[in-house]
Amino acid sequence: MDPVSENPSSFQPKCLGLSWGVKIKRKLKSAAPFLGRFRPLVGQCCHQCTPESLGLKLLRNTPPLGFQNLTSVSETHTGYRGWLVRRVCCLLFVWGCEVHPSPAGDRRHRVHGSERCVRQALVAAYSPDETELVMPEVRDHLGRLLALTQTFISPYLLRLVSWMLLKVFSLMFCSVQVNRNQLAALHRATQLKSPLVYVCVRQSGIDHALICLTLFCHNLRVPYTIYPAHVRQSWLRSFLQRLGVVLLPEGSESERDAEMDSLYSPVMTSFTGELLREGASLSVGICGSRGHGGQWLARVHQAISDGLVPDVSIVPVGISYDCLPRYFTRPQAGVMSALRFAVSLLKGGHRGSVRIHFAQAFSLKEMCQSGKCRVDGGRPLQDLLLTAILQDRMDSIFRQKDVSWLLPPAVMPELCPADRQQTIALTLHLMYSSTTTMAVMSTSLVSCLLLHKHRKGVRVSVLCRDICWLLEEVLFRNIDVGYGGSLVGLVLHALSLLRPYLLLAAAPPTGEPIIAPRPDPDSLLILSQHCDLLTHVFIHEAVGACAVSAMLSEVVGCGGGGDPEFDVVLGQEELTEKSLQLTHLLSPGFVPPCQTAHGFALDVVDSMVRCGVLVMEEVQKDTPVCDFMKKQGVLSWAVSDNPDQSSDSDCEEPDARSYKLSQPSQCPELLFFLCSLLSVRLRALCWALESLHYLPSPVTERDCLSQLHTHLKNRAQLEKAHYESSSIDLVRLVLRTFIDLGVLTEDRQRGDVYLDVSPLFSQCAHKVKLLQFFKQFIYMYN
């Protein structure tokens, strides 16, 4: 295994302002690279769902092949030498890369002639009498959809665009790092003779470009890219289609509009099957907050069910950015966006790095047949939590949560319920796998510490100490980091990238720099965006800390208020129940579908012991026990018809563990830090619930999202704090949670969705109970 220090992306900042950078550097002592800290083997497939794929051992870390900067091309990458070669080495390298041709051929006729494409769609959409009348219009519309099947990959255009991308990315980023061991695993996966499907979580518009460029530069088949962008210019559409980009059909403004078309889904399903039968690869992006991308996984699975291909290998991809590209955070394509991007390149500035991780390929057929990855039998969120919130009954929280909205019945209505549930489970698992494959970047560490631990400012020396601590915690959880080198270079690089969002001051009398986040909305939203991945890394500890906070708040409430009491014993049963309640509120991607929510909650309690927040404790009679589900001192008696068969073991107390807060120097400071990771989401839920009475009734889903976003921004402005809880992505998650909880009811009419406050939560008492339920998990909310 190669140590962190061997990463070629050791940072040596060049563009940092002299006066600002020197002040920090003078106060930092030279530190050796992170020797002895080895990179974990990330990207292994699930041992429960795909044990046979794991047994193939495609992904190996021995011998360590190290990392490669994709944009650093020299004459050593070509078969030539000389001064002229050094000037055109990038062009020679691109020309020497292997390209797997993928012509369209008669694909359009094969898709048009498929049983699924025309006949089933017409039978489902029209009656026999209407078919003859609408046939001319259907043919015209079908012709526009079939034009998408003419997408192909031109070898000469691919080489030209790859050369341009290498030049552009070298201006955008200081490095684009890829793991050579993972690329060697991909080469071994191609020998299995199954088509590869690359799946990533959507972050920016250049995600797929980075994936395709990486595969091209390493002589792997460039995939067809599913890119749900609305492109109006016909010349740009033709250009992208020659690069294998599958766009939205003309006239569709969004992916949701396209999927509502009764002919679009059958055509795309047949098109996907034909591509896989040709041996082509696919690149698909999924989005948990909007439920996009799952339908393409259903089409891939359908190709296996129809016998078009025997199997498909799925490759989760994790892409990590030091700083997300400003003009590519939404799926869009056009001349104006390209011009704005060109202007940003000319302005220059500090450039971050990118880390791309390819997980081990696994068999889709094996995952579907193993029976471990499944979500059938789930219950709506309101069935799981409302009895606990309103009636304080915990009997229903141990079931699984239903997330059928990830692939609603209106999308691909031809899917049977079993295949739909299987696709939802696959989508959840890939969201989890892609996220855990991502590397933690230096900007994420610094942003997380400034936002959740040192919000009022911190000395540089203390910040460096905490970075070392957080680095060890991340590596301990088998998560890779996207940097290497000395501590001085790491801190300077991260602070140079985050400089527009930070404040710098000198601490008397030593003059040591103090760094704090800027208290404006844009800065806090950017810093919070960098922290998202670390929330996934520490999700067990964050849920456990919030559960402990909720139990401590109940102790304070029972004691009549005052300062929180830390010298209490926490019962395992109630601690697990609190963790389970909060687990149900998490968005998709945090818990894999092969693990139950109750199993996750038990892992949460164990993780609190491992990280040192809790220690197991013997229950003493004079110690208050924070377990309201049982009464202290009450024994469990066994019932027997024969008194002679009774024994001393019948009156033993059940083997229930108890825990107590440890008292090291980092606790309760560590507890506050972990609670703060989820407080951003929980605070957004509280603010949104308090703002519901401002919304008109009923209101369309689009208007509800916009107005709720405005209310949250106004609330943050009013409090002049916590602006990170008012982002549009959080509002989408809040809206989804309210619909699942039954706070808002959906009414589909006239092709739109109208939302209204349910009668149950129109009552003030129930609304107050729900608000208190959210607030209990936020430590010291008041």
Side-chain angles (χ1 to χ4, degrees):
M1 302 179 69
D2 50 316
V4 176
S5 59
E6 290 182 6
N7 187 348
S9 178
S10 298
F11 299 129
Q12 300 296 334
K14 300 177 181 179
C15 302
L16 189 63
L18 182 61
S19 60
W20 193 74
V22 168
K23 289 179 181 179
I24 297 178
K25 196 168 185 178
R26 287 175 178 172
K27 298 299 178 180
L28 291 178
K29 296 181 180 180
S30 297
F34 296 111
L35 296 175
R37 294 176 174 87
F38 293 91
R39 295 193 178 279
L41 180 62
V42 299
Q44 290 183 304
C45 52
C46 181
H47 68 280
Q48 296 188 54
C49 303
T50 53
E52 294 182 9
S53 298
L54 183 62
L56 295 177
K57 296 183 179 180
L58 298 176
L59 182 60
R60 308 162 193 166
N61 221 16
T62 53
L65 302 179
F67 293 82
Q68 177 190 356
N69 182 8
L70 203 64
T71 59
S72 178
V73 180
S74 63
E75 61 177 335
T76 59
H77 295 87
T78 68
Y80 309 96
R81 295 293 184 271
W83 67 269
L84 182 59
V85 174
R86 287 192 291 270
R87 284 155 179 79
V88 294
C89 58
C90 187
L91 188 61
L92 290 175
F93 167 72
V94 169
W95 191 260
C97 290
E98 182 181 359
V99 176
H100 302 267
S102 182
D106 62 342
R107 189 189 301 142
R108 174 170 180 159
H109 298 287
R110 284 185 276 124
V111 173
H112 184 270
S114 64
E115 179 74 17
R116 179 185 305 278
C117 179
V118 180
R119 298 179 184 177
Q120 292 184 4
L122 288 178
V123 170
Y126 306 101
S127 63
D129 297 335
E130 296 174 332
T131 302
E132 294 297 330
L133 297 177
V134 302
M135 185 57 72
E137 299 179 3
V138 171
R139 283 199 186 98
D140 294 339
H141 180 49
L142 184 60
R144 290 191 293 270
L145 294 178
L146 289 174
L148 299 175
T149 65
Q150 293 298 101
T151 302
F152 67 100
I153 296 178
S154 171
Y156 294 103
L157 188 59
L158 179 62
R159 295 183 192 275
L160 175 62
V161 173
S162 298
W163 173 77
M164 295 175 60
L165 287 177
L166 285 174
K167 295 296 184 181
V168 171
F169 287 156
S170 64
L171 296 175
M172 291 178 59
F173 309 109
C174 61
S175 66
V176 179
Q177 299 289 328
V178 293
N179 191 321
R180 290 177 177 174
N181 288 89
Q182 296 171 352
L183 292 169
L186 285 182
H187 280 283
R188 287 188 283 267
T190 57
Q191 299 175 4
L192 301 177
K193 305 302 181 182
S194 296
L196 297 179
V197 177
Y198 303 90
V199 182
C200 66
V201 176
R202 295 178 186 175
Q203 299 180 77
S204 71
I206 63 173
D207 293 341
H208 295 292
L210 288 167
I211 294 174
C212 293
L213 182 63
T214 303
L215 299 176
F216 170 81
C217 292
H218 291 84
N219 298 320
L220 290 162
R221 181 183 290 273
V222 176
Y224 283 80
T225 301
I226 310 300
Y227 188 65
H230 176 62
V231 181
R232 296 183 177 88
Q233 296 85 359
S234 58
W235 64 270
L236 185 56
R237 292 182 64 91
S238 177
F239 177 80
L240 293 175
Q241 283 185 312
R242 291 174 182 271
L243 293 172
V245 181
V246 182
L247 301 167
L248 291 177
E250 296 182 14
S252 297
E253 295 292 334
S254 64
E255 191 174 11
R256 178 180 177 182
D257 295 338
E259 293 292 344
M260 293 298 104
D261 187 351
S262 59
L263 287 179
Y264 176 79
S265 181
V267 170
M268 290 297 103
T269 302
S270 299
F271 176 44
T272 303
E274 291 297 331
L275 286 177
L276 295 175
R277 187 166 68 171
E278 295 171 5
S281 300
L282 295 179
S283 179
V284 180
I286 54 179
C287 179
S289 60
R290 302 185 182 184
H292 292 169
Q295 69 273 20
W296 292 99
L297 299 176
R299 289 166 184 141
V300 172
H301 181 247
Q302 192 66 44
I304 300 177
S305 302
D306 293 344
L308 297 177
V309 288
D311 198 2
V312 172
S313 296
I314 305 294
V315 182
V317 183
I319 304 177
S320 303
Y321 299 91
D322 264 334
C323 290
L324 275 173
R326 183 176 179 183
Y327 295 104
F328 292 94
T329 56
R330 292 290 182 268
Q332 58 181 355
V335 178
M336 293 305 299
S337 60
L339 288 177
R340 287 194 294 267
F341 167 65
V343 171
S344 67
L345 286 182
L346 294 176
K347 289 182 179 179
H350 305 301
R351 302 176 301 161
S353 61
V354 182
R355 172 65 64 81
I356 306 174
H357 279 176
F358 293 90
Q360 179 179 342
F362 64 85
S363 168
L364 176 59
K365 187 176 182 179
E366 180 192 1
M367 172 167 280
C368 296
Q369 292 179 352
S370 66
K372 298 291 186 180
C373 183
R374 52 190 303 175
V375 294
D376 52 332
R379 301 293 300 168
L381 185 60
Q382 56 182 327
D383 293 351
L384 301 180
L385 289 183
L386 283 191
T387 54
I389 296 172
L390 303 181
Q391 303 174 16
D392 201 22
R393 289 173 46 196
M394 304 298 171
D395 51 336
S396 62
I397 64 173
F398 297 95
R399 299 181 181 179
Q400 292 297 100
K401 181 175 66 173
D402 177 60
V403 286
S404 57
W405 56 270
L406 284 173
L407 191 64
V411 178
M412 297 187 68
E414 67 272 15
L415 276 181
C416 64
D419 289 343
R420 187 174 299 276
Q421 294 295 325
Q422 183 66 67
T423 302
I424 293 173
L426 177 62
T427 304
L428 287 172
H429 208 300
L430 286 172
M431 290 171 57
Y432 175 80
S433 300
S434 298
T435 304
T436 53
T437 305
M438 295 180 184
V440 176
M441 309 302 283
S442 59
T443 51
S444 298
L445 291 180
V446 174
S447 299
C448 184
L449 290 172
L450 291 177
L451 198 62
H452 298 295
K453 192 174 183 181
H454 305 295
R455 198 180 186 96
K456 295 182 179 180
V458 60
R459 295 175 182 267
V460 174
S461 58
V462 178
L463 180 63
C464 293
R465 181 200 64 192
D466 288 346
I467 287 177
C468 292
W469 162 75
L470 199 54
L471 166 68
E472 293 179 351
E473 295 293 330
V474 169
L475 294 177
F476 175 75
R477 286 158 180 79
N478 203 35
I479 302 295
D480 200 4
V481 292
Y483 53 84
S486 66
L487 182 62
V488 175
L490 165 66
V491 174
L492 284 177
H493 177 79
L495 294 180
S496 65
L497 293 173
L498 299 175
R499 182 181 178 182
Y501 320 113
L502 303 178
L503 294 174
L504 179 68
T510 61
E512 181 179 2
I514 295 180
I515 300 172
R518 288 185 179 273
D520 60 88
D522 293 337
S523 298
L524 293 177
L525 286 173
I526 293 294
L527 294 177
S528 179
Q529 189 179 30
H530 287 299
C531 300
D532 287 341
L533 183 56
L534 281 170
T535 304
H536 283 266
V537 174
F538 293 97
I539 187 59
H540 288 89
E541 293 79 5
V543 171
C546 291
V548 170
S549 174
M551 297 178 70
L552 293 178
S553 65
E554 291 184 3
V555 173
V556 174
C558 293
D563 295 332
E565 175 62 48
F566 294 104
D567 191 18
V568 295
V569 176
L570 309 176
Q572 182 188 26
E573 182 178 350
E574 190 180 25
L575 187 60
T576 304
E577 290 172 352
K578 290 291 184 183
S579 302
L580 189 55
Q581 293 172 18
L582 186 54
T583 300
H584 288 314
L585 290 179
L586 297 178
S587 55
F590 284 99
V591 184
C594 54
Q595 183 182 24
T596 63
H598 185 226
F600 181 85
L602 293 175
D603 290 344
V604 163
V605 179
D606 293 339
S607 68
M608 295 300 289
V609 178
R610 286 197 302 268
C611 71
V613 174
L614 295 180
V615 292
M616 294 190 64
E617 180 75 8
E618 293 285 343
V619 180
Q620 304 294 332
K621 292 298 181 179
D622 56 346
T623 304
V625 178
C626 183
D627 191 341
F628 301 102
M629 300 305 298
K630 297 180 180 179
K631 294 182 179 180
Q632 184 181 4
V634 176
L635 303 179
S636 255
W637 294 85
V639 179
S640 176
D641 295 333
N642 189 355
D644 297 332
Q645 294 180 356
S646 61
S647 64
D648 293 338
S649 61
D650 292 336
C651 60
E652 290 180 355
E653 196 169 352
D655 185 18
R657 297 178 181 176
S658 299
Y659 302 93
K660 188 175 182 180
L661 279 173
S662 58
Q663 299 295 326
S665 59
Q666 290 188 343
C667 186
E669 182 182 359
L670 178 60
L671 180 68
F672 301 156
F673 169 72
L674 296 173
C675 285
S676 181
L677 293 177
L678 283 179
S679 65
V680 177
R681 303 163 186 261
L682 293 168
R683 190 176 293 105
L685 286 169
C686 295
W687 287 358
L689 185 62
E690 293 172 341
S691 305
L692 282 183
H693 63 279
Y694 293 113
L695 298 178
S697 179
V699 61
T700 63
E701 186 176 6
R702 188 188 304 270
D703 292 339
C704 182
L705 181 68
S706 176
Q707 295 183 34
L708 206 56
H709 187 209
T710 302
H711 289 313
L712 261 63
K713 289 192 296 184
N714 293 338
R715 177 64 181 270
Q717 290 284 357
L718 183 64
E719 295 193 2
K720 297 187 182 300
H722 306 302
Y723 295 101
E724 65 274 12
S725 295
S726 61
S727 68
I728 186 64
D729 292 331
L730 276 181
V731 176
R732 289 193 182 95
L733 293 176
V734 165
L735 198 60
R736 184 71 257 169
T737 303
F738 282 174
I739 294 174
D740 292 345
L741 269 175
V743 178
L744 298 175
T745 59
E746 291 181 301
D747 183 17
R748 300 182 180 273
Q749 53 179 313
R750 297 189 300 275
D752 210 340
V753 179
Y754 287 83
L755 301 178
D756 195 3
V757 180
S758 65
L760 180 65
F761 287 96
S762 297
Q763 305 177 28
C764 184
H766 292 162
K767 188 177 176 181
V768 169
K769 286 185 177 181
L770 181 59
L771 185 61
Q772 292 300 323
F773 175 76
F774 292 149
K775 284 184 177 181
Q776 68 175 333
F777 296 111
I778 309 177
Y779 184 77
M780 298 296 290
Y781 181 85
N782 295 327

